[in-house]
Amino acid sequence: MSAGDRRALILLIAGFTAWSFGFVLLYGLQALGCAYDWPAHRAILIAAYIVTLAPLAWLSLIKVRAEGEPASVLALSALWANRAALAAGVLTFFPATFASACI
Amino acid sequence: MLFGSILLFALVMVLFALAYIRTGWISRITPTQWIVGGGLVLPIPVLVLLTGTALVLGEQLLPHGRTPVTIEAHAARWNWTFSYPGGTTQAGDVLHMPAGQPVDILVTTEDVIHAFWVPRLGGKIDAIPGHTNTIRLEADRPGIYWGQCAEYCGIGHDIMRFRVEVHSAEDFAARFGGEAR
Amino acid sequence: MTGKPSPVRLHKDLETIWKTPPGIARLSSVNHTILGKRFMLLALIFFAIGGFLSMLIRAQLATPHSAFVGPEIYNQIFTMHGTVMMFLFAIPMLEGFAIYMLPKLLGARDLAFPRVTAYGFWCYFFGGSILVIAMLAGVAPDSGWFMYTPLSSRPYTAGINADVWLLGITFVEISAVTAAIEIFVSILKLRAPGMSLARMPLMAWYMLVTAGMMIVGFPPLILGSILLELERAFDLPFFDPTRGGDSLLWQHLFWLFGHPEVYIIFLPAAGVLSTIIPVFAQRQILGYRAIIAAIVAMGFLSFGLWVHHMFTVGIPHLALAFFSAASALVAIPTAIQIFAWIGTLASGRPRWDIPMLYVFGFFFVFVIGGLTGVMLAMVPFNTQAHDSYFVVAHLHYVLVGGFVFPMLAGLYHWLPHITGRQSVYRLSIPAFWLIFIGFNVTFFLMHLTGLMGMPRRISTYPSNWGWDWLNLLSSVGGFILTMGFSLVLVDMILQFRFGRRFRRDPWRAQTLEWAMPTPPTDYNFASLPRVDMRADAIEPAPLGPVLASGEGYLGFARNNQQETLAVDMMTGVIEHIVILPRRTYLPLWTALATGGFFVSLLLGHYWLAPFFALLVTGLILLWPASLGFREDQGPVPIGRGETAPFDAESTSNAAILANRTALVTNATLFSSLLFGGLFLIVVAPNWDSAPAPLVPVWLSILAVLAAVAGGASAFFARATNRAGGAVTGGLAGAVLAQGIATAAFLAIMAGMGNPTAHASIAIAFVTLGYCALHSAIGAVIAGHALWRKHQGYVSARRATDPELAFLWNGYAGITAVFGAAMALLLGGIL
Ligand code: HEM
Ligand SMILES: [Cu+2]
Ligand SMILES: [Cu+2]
């Protein structure tokens, strides 16, 4: 497996892996903030929202110039998957900006 | 929501039929058009709008602050006990509520998980051991409704029902305390 | 080898090596064709049992105030119906299908670990039998298929009922995990030469993602079952709120598995559709790359939905919002696939045949189920419809539409492959209409009863609430549905007996499974094809005879070995020859010993369980004995003028990949345990005055250092072995260090206080128990590698054993760090 191939495969799941981490992070912060009555709870949530979107945005811009058969096909799937992950991040985490965090 | 669903369902079935009837134009749709049109353009706006509306609605239903009247509902296998602002506690599966004002019900349980549900008045909330959950209900006018346990709780789950008697706000205040609005 | 034998001669040669003889020796079979069929047959039997139970449900609910059975029995019936359908029908069915089909679709002669397939089957068979026997004895589980605590805890289910579920299902789950690892590794490694990832048929992509999901989806459930069984058997209070437990922990663990489970069931069925539809559209699938992206997206998104089963437990709105949005979003990859399928039909030259009739059923039913699913994802609507018959309707639309209809389409598509015969009587058409109409009558009306306020899981209802006629019609529909299924069964039997034989590829499909004799031989392909294009665009009719005459790879019999090829997982370049183990009774014995373990727990003979655990370990250590070589072999010919080494001499062989995958599963289990501990600390009631476990710091440091040293020592052994040096010292060091670590962990556990007093002590106890177990496993595997070295199976080229020793010892080191940290946190020291 060449380096380019491995890269294409990793890219295919990178976006949604980042999305999963963002999900766990936000859900965790929400729970901790309520359990320990954080004063700046909302601000922390919004900051976390932005922080999780950054890698997703970056990933959805990477276009690998993959040479050769498997890598090129997978690279295109990866681009779609990473853009989907960005969109999923923007939409699913958006409630962090307004929804009631502790009731 | 119902209407939109019927429409989307009809769309899929008609397209499926057309694929076999083979009118000319349908075989000229390109792969990208299928994927982008059907898979992205069609569902995304619908879903965003729907979820957005539901979230805003959900916010409004939350028990923000405290209502003048709060009632405690305590579940135990297989009956309900209700306690009122004035300090009365009544076993016997009858819940009294004032009409025309929001009421917070604080739901707890003695043993296993149960759920408090009055279908005509709104959603349900579970009674979880060790936790207190709150649900805000509002009955428009006096009358009799029925409620029931909506989380399976063992042999008596079928019959774990209760009656809801909604009184005018004044009557309720007179009998059970709390301020009338 | 010298001169080409005739196809008949080649068939005879291969058959003598691969054949499973009839009679009692069948029990020793490890062949994927035989086991795949067995899995599917047993799953069908369980479908019949589950279907029979659903008929009892409908008979009971047909009229109000029914006196058919009382609530005690009714509760067992619906619990068993749900449990049987989900765990004993749907999952094993898809496993069996994958086991039967994948090697054929990918151009291999078997799966990577045939004996594991057999072991999984026996676990499924014995575990399922435990449940059925309990049902016949009247002590079936009765807490609902998701077994919410505290209803399923000792105080409220005193009898054996809940133990039957926890132990029986965990036993069956072994087969799900082993099948998942095996499928995952086989798809990545055991493909026809030249078949790069991007040339795989979509079915393989679907199964790859499904297997990946199972690998991380099942551990939370297994952990939950272990914890609940510990609570029931030894009173460790993980779910008891009065002692710092929380019943919500069970719900999180269960649904963390339970929601992905629904997609685990749907994805293989979608794979079936993506395989069948192009055949009947007479064109390649449209949007291959978009579908891959959609499958990956679905795989991940489905892990972000679990709380939508818990919208009413009192979780804050923000958290609900995340899960609600993710639940709505998962509709998008689904829509992409639906439109890709319709587009494929529309832009091809569609033919109509029996399988397409069932595909039509899928579209109709599944789209309705999907739409009600989006409705249920909306929090305000959900709090109204949750736990009502609306949900029962929804779940059956999704499961029957998304699994049963596609599987029936698959049945009519591939039954000729299994039997070698085509159906002559067109019973499938009336059967379809009975199923289709019966299904919609039964379940569409349940949407209405649900919206009218009828809760699920009730055995009777009053007659004055307007539910009567809807329920009666539902029951009538249920019986029409059953008639339809019986007709399918009759049709299948008729096809086996009287079907018309055919030559090759009756549907003009374009995938490799048709490029072999039907019914298939025990070795699948007399020689393995080279795939230079997308593997769903080949022509089986001309290819079949070419392969049969031995013109592909490995078109010969060598040394009585069962050989197939392994490739680079990405590019499909040939890597090595896999020598598959031959038939043996070992899997059966091992499964029986495993069964002994579970039964002794079930009957409360806890002292017996450790003996069976030792027996299982001992038997498993016998498995590798027949594998490997005592000398280096170097590359050997594989036909077509090429050569390749044997698997024992490859550093990227299936065994190593499988152990890595197993460690991922294992790590998911451990993370779920750590998550559970943190969850209880943050959320559970009664932690303010919790007694802290006594965790001596120096002993913890000793344990961690020893476990990490074990990992380092195994790493050292692996490195020196590769460089041609001696491994004995490093491996012996690992055994010693892990032995010390195990002892130290056990010592902490013994002195930490009474674990039944509070969840804080119980969690620390179990976490350290996990660490002790893994240090012990590290020691055993390092010791085993030492023994293999002593027997002459290890050299610089034959490096698998030191590699595995390193993997497990390194893992023990890592878990020791996290486990000790968790214990010190609970002990108030960190
Ligand atoms: C053969 C036709 C079937 C009929 C007539 C049927 C009928 C029912 C009914 C009436 C219930 C509700 C029981 C209650 O809440 O009291 C139910 C529950 C359920 N069914 Fe089915 N079912 C069928 C097939 C299936 C299939 C194929 C699956 C899954 C693959 C399935 C999975 C379930 C599950 C998971 C439950 C929930 C059990 C629980 O509440 O614990 N069913 N079924
Ligand atoms: Cu109940
Ligand atoms: Cu779900």
Side-chain angles (χ1 to χ4, degrees):
Chain A
M1 191 159 49
S2 74
D5 290 341
R6 183 167 308 134
R7 200 175 140 86
L9 201 56
I10 290 174
L11 274 181
L12 183 63
I13 54 170
F16 272 102
T17 309
W19 175 84
S20 313
F21 279 110
F23 199 97
V24 173
L25 176 72
L26 280 162
Y27 187 35
L29 287 176
Q30 176 269 323
L32 288 172
C34 294
Y36 301 110
D37 266 329
W38 287 349
H41 195 187
R42 178 72 59 195
I44 294 172
L45 284 171
I46 294 178
Y49 178 44
I50 296 167
V51 168
T52 46
L53 290 187
L56 286 172
W58 176 67
L59 279 172
S60 66
L61 292 176
I62 308 184
K63 283 190 193 148
V64 263
R65 295 237 147 272
E67 297 297 316
E69 212 264 301
S72 61
V73 175
L74 288 192
L76 199 70
S77 287
L79 191 63
W80 275 73
N82 288 341
R83 286 180 182 164
L86 174 65
V90 171
L91 292 175
T92 42
F93 305 154
F94 182 67
T97 58
F98 71 93
S100 303
C102 301
I103 46 172
Chain B
M1 200 154 65
L2 178 66
F3 184 70
S5 302
I6 296 175
L7 211 68
L8 288 174
F9 171 71
L11 177 74
V12 173
M13 293 324 292
V14 166
L15 286 174
F16 183 82
L18 284 181
Y20 270 92
I21 300 170
R22 296 185 56 69
T23 33
W25 59 268
I26 196 165
S27 56
R28 280 193 298 277
I29 301 178
T30 65
T32 324
Q33 284 167 338
W34 277 110
I35 304 271
V36 174
L40 300 177
V41 177
L42 183 69
I44 290 180
V46 178
L47 289 172
V48 170
L49 261 173
L50 193 63
T51 317
T53 324
L55 286 181
V56 173
L57 193 67
E59 274 298 315
Q60 290 165 0
L61 294 175
L62 291 178
H64 293 282
R66 268 280 171 264
T67 47
V69 176
T70 57
I71 301 173
E72 288 166 27
H74 188 66
R77 302 215 290 179
W78 287 277
N79 47 56
W80 296 89
T81 309
F82 299 100
S83 311
Y84 299 93
T88 22
T89 296
Q90 286 186 350
D93 295 333
V94 183
L95 165 63
H96 301 277
M97 260 177 77
Q101 66 183 74
V103 177
D104 278 354
I105 316 264
L106 308 184
V107 183
T108 50
T109 171
E110 185 66 34
D111 37 48
V112 304
I113 301 177
H114 304 268
F116 175 94
W117 189 26
V118 186
R120 291 279 298 280
L121 298 186
K124 54 181 77 71
I125 193 91
D126 292 356
I128 309 276
H131 296 265
T132 304
N133 282 331
T134 309
I135 186 166
R136 181 162 295 180
L137 295 180
E138 182 166 346
D140 294 336
R141 65 185 83 78
I144 306 281
Y145 305 89
W146 56 271
Q148 63 192 14
C149 174
E151 182 63 62
Y152 172 61
C153 53
I155 291 178
H157 174 57
D158 313 354
I159 47 159
M160 195 169 159
R161 285 189 282 267
F162 54 96
R163 245 160 77 91
V164 183
E165 295 183 6
V166 179
H167 311 275
S168 73
E170 298 74 32
D171 286 356
F172 181 83
R175 279 178 64 185
F176 299 98
E179 320 141 35
R181 213 177 32 183
Chain C
M1 320 247 39
T2 48
K4 278 255 166 278
S6 75
V8 179
R9 177 77 237 191
L10 179 60
H11 169 73
K12 289 239 166 71
D13 289 350
L14 288 171
E15 193 74 358
T16 38
I17 301 179
W18 291 79
K19 186 137 198 75
T20 306
I24 191 86
R26 276 314 238 205
L27 298 182
S28 68
S29 176
V30 297
N31 182 282
H32 78 107
T33 300
I34 295 176
L35 286 162
K37 286 193 286 194
R38 258 187 221 166
F39 258 100
M40 290 191 277
L41 186 66
L42 191 54
L44 277 184
I45 293 173
F46 278 115
F47 182 65
I49 296 176
F52 175 70
L53 291 171
S54 76
M55 288 305 98
L56 296 184
I57 298 179
R58 282 320 324 169
Q60 167 80 5
L61 294 181
T63 52
H65 300 301
S66 171
F68 179 54
V69 293
E72 299 84 3
I73 304 292
Y74 184 80
N75 295 348
Q76 294 191 16
I77 293 179
F78 76 72
T79 302
M80 280 300 283
H81 165 70
T83 304
V84 166
M85 285 296 191
M86 300 303 271
F87 294 106
L88 302 180
F89 160 64
I91 299 269
M93 187 68 180
L94 73 89
E95 286 162 15
F97 174 75
I99 288 169
Y100 179 89
M101 199 53 75
L102 279 174
K104 303 183 172 72
L105 215 50
L106 296 174
R109 281 179 175 156
D110 206 320
L111 292 167
F113 307 102
R115 295 179 300 186
V116 175
T117 327
Y119 176 65
F121 173 77
W122 294 118
C123 287
Y124 166 40
F125 178 72
F126 296 138
S129 308
I130 291 181
L131 278 139
V132 171
I133 292 169
M135 184 168 77
L136 295 180
V139 288
D142 56 0
S143 322
W145 86 278
F146 34 78
M147 292 288 290
Y148 277 0
T149 60
L151 183 60
S152 56
S153 306
R154 188 59 85 198
Y156 304 103
T157 304
I160 195 178
N161 310 51
D163 303 305
V164 168
W165 194 99
L166 294 167
L167 296 168
I169 292 300
T170 304
F171 196 6
V172 174
E173 247 42 323
I174 294 179
S175 78
V177 172
T178 53
I181 295 175
E182 170 161 42
I183 289 169
F184 190 74
V185 172
S186 301
I187 294 176
L188 287 177
K189 296 301 295 184
L190 265 57
R191 302 195 300 262
M195 194 191 290
S196 67
L197 272 192
R199 286 178 184 159
M200 289 200 309
L202 275 177
M203 185 69 220
W205 272 104
Y206 276 102
M207 280 314 307
L208 184 65
V209 174
T210 306
M213 289 172 68
M214 289 170 79
I215 285 164
V216 290
F218 276 89
L221 173 68
I222 296 178
L223 175 76
S225 303
I226 295 175
L227 295 185
L228 184 50
E229 188 54 36
L230 284 175
E231 175 173 306
R232 288 183 56 85
F234 305 110
D235 199 28
L236 301 191
F238 301 106
F239 307 105
D240 175 2
T242 60
R243 287 177 288 162
D246 198 327
S247 58
L248 290 180
L249 174 60
W250 169 265
Q251 299 198 11
H252 279 293
L253 290 175
F254 186 90
W255 291 117
L256 198 49
F257 146 83
H259 197 85
E261 142 109 339
V262 181
Y263 287 82
I264 289 169
I265 292 176
F266 171 65
L267 283 179
V272 168
L273 295 168
S274 293
T275 313
I276 295 183
I277 288 177
V279 173
F280 291 94
Q282 312 200 58
R283 63 152 286 163
Q284 264 193 312
I285 187 93
L286 161 165
Y288 180 82
R289 285 168 291 198
I291 292 183
I292 294 178
I295 310 172
V296 172
M298 257 185 148
F300 278 93
L301 283 175
S302 66
F303 280 91
L305 313 182
W306 82 89
V307 168
H308 75 205
H309 298 268
M310 302 167 62
F311 276 171
T312 63
V313 303
I315 290 177
H317 196 232
L318 174 56
L320 301 188
F322 292 148
F323 288 95
S324 170
S327 309
L329 223 56
V330 80
I332 292 172
T334 319
I336 290 182
Q337 291 168 69
I338 298 259
F339 283 97
W341 293 326
I342 294 189
T344 305
L345 283 171
S347 50
R349 289 172 291 117
R351 278 185 283 153
W352 190 254
D353 212 317
I354 303 298
M356 280 316 287
L357 192 59
Y358 288 86
V359 171
F360 158 76
F362 153 79
F363 274 106
F364 188 98
V365 172
F366 185 74
V367 171
I368 295 184
L371 291 169
T372 54
V374 172
M375 296 183 194
L376 282 171
M378 302 301 129
V379 179
F381 181 77
N382 182 292
T383 59
Q384 186 53 246
H386 177 75
D387 264 335
S388 77
Y389 258 83
F390 191 90
V391 169
V392 177
H394 158 73
L395 80 93
H396 286 88
Y397 266 83
V398 182
L399 287 171
V400 176
F403 189 71
V404 176
F405 274 106
M407 279 296 162
L408 284 170
L411 178 86
Y412 279 106
H413 187 75
W414 280 299
L415 202 55
H417 190 279
I418 297 178
T419 60
R421 296 164 186 267
Q422 272 175 304
S423 172
V424 275
Y425 306 102
R426 307 224 122 207
L427 286 183
S428 42
I429 298 173
F432 171 79
W433 290 110
L434 284 175
I435 294 175
F436 183 74
I437 294 170
F439 175 82
N440 283 295
V441 171
T442 314
F443 290 102
F444 193 81
L445 302 178
M446 288 187 193
H447 291 116
L448 306 181
T449 40
L451 291 178
M452 288 163 78
M454 178 162 166
R456 69 195 276 198
R457 300 175 163 182
I458 52 169
S459 64
T460 52
Y461 50 92
S463 66
N464 49 355
W465 287 345
W467 304 345
D468 304 15
W469 65 276
L470 288 171
N471 271 303
L472 184 61
L473 275 180
S474 265
S475 294
V476 172
F479 286 92
I480 299 179
L481 179 59
T482 310
M483 276 152 56
F485 282 124
S486 322
L487 215 52
V488 170
L489 186 67
V490 173
D491 196 28
M492 277 169 70
I493 295 171
L494 288 179
Q495 180 171 341
F496 267 96
R497 290 284 292 118
F498 305 111
R500 159 165 43 77
R501 295 196 173 276
F502 61 91
R503 278 203 49 78
R504 231 181 255 280
D505 195 10
W507 305 111
R508 279 170 285 142
Q510 300 192 303
T511 34
L512 276 174
E513 82 272 25
W514 297 103
M516 61 175 63
T518 41
T521 53
D522 284 336
Y523 54 82
N524 280 352
F525 300 97
S527 64
L528 304 183
R530 164 147 214 111
V531 176
D532 290 319
M533 51 167 125
R534 272 262 298 281
D536 54 1
I538 53 144
E539 286 187 47
L543 181 63
V546 175
L547 296 180
S549 68
E551 280 169 46
Y553 293 99
L554 296 180
F556 47 75
R558 164 163 51 202
N559 299 345
N560 249 347
Q561 284 166 182
Q562 296 188 174
E563 295 180 351
T564 190
L565 284 176
V567 297
D568 174 278
M569 56 183 173
M570 183 78 184
T571 57
V573 172
I574 299 177
E575 237 180 28
H576 57 263
I577 305 167
V578 182
I579 301 181
L580 295 167
R582 303 187 54 184
R583 69 185 183 83
T584 153
Y585 290 98
L586 260 184
L588 178 55
W589 299 137
T590 315
L592 276 171
T594 318
F597 175 77
F598 281 103
V599 171
S600 49
L601 290 181
L602 187 61
L603 300 182
H605 299 307
Y606 299 114
W607 57 274
L608 255 175
F611 293 103
F612 279 110
L614 279 181
L615 185 59
V616 173
T617 317
L619 283 167
I620 286 180
L621 287 177
L622 289 180
W623 287 35
S626 66
L627 301 178
F629 290 103
R630 287 205 158 95
E631 296 92 33
D632 290 348
Q633 308 279 317
V636 294
I638 55 172
R640 299 175 51 123
E642 295 178 43
T643 59
F646 285 115
D647 48 1
E649 295 177 18
S650 164
T651 48
S652 57
N653 62 31
I656 294 173
L657 186 60
N659 276 276
R660 289 203 171 141
T661 319
L663 285 179
V664 171
T665 312
N666 209 336
T668 320
L669 186 101
F670 189 53
S671 335
S672 308
L673 180 59
L674 296 181
F675 158 81
L678 296 175
F679 176 85
L680 290 184
I681 295 176
V682 175
V683 176
N686 290 321
W687 272 71
D688 296 332
S689 54
L694 285 171
V695 186
V697 177
W698 63 271
L699 206 51
S700 317
I701 294 179
L702 172 72
V704 171
L705 284 181
V708 172
S713 185
F715 175 78
F716 172 72
R718 178 184 89 145
T720 42
N721 179 57
R722 280 200 187 159
V727 291
T728 321
L731 289 175
V735 176
L736 185 70
Q738 298 295 6
I740 296 174
T742 313
F745 280 126
L746 291 177
I748 306 177
M749 287 164 69
M752 73 187 347
N754 181 2
T756 63
H758 194 274
S760 71
I761 306 180
I763 285 280
F765 187 80
V766 171
T767 310
L768 293 184
Y770 181 93
C771 296
L773 178 67
H774 280 80
S775 287
I777 293 179
V780 169
I781 292 186
H784 179 254
L786 213 57
W787 187 75
R788 295 275 289 177
K789 170 73 189 173
H790 177 72
Q791 298 286 304
Y793 286 108
V794 177
S795 75
R797 286 179 62 88
R798 289 169 283 126
T800 306
D801 292 291
E803 179 79 31
L804 300 188
F806 161 64
L807 284 176
W808 285 88
N809 279 283
Y811 181 75
I814 296 173
T815 49
V817 173
F818 283 96
M822 184 76 193
L824 290 172
L825 178 72
L826 287 160
I829 293 157
L830 269 186

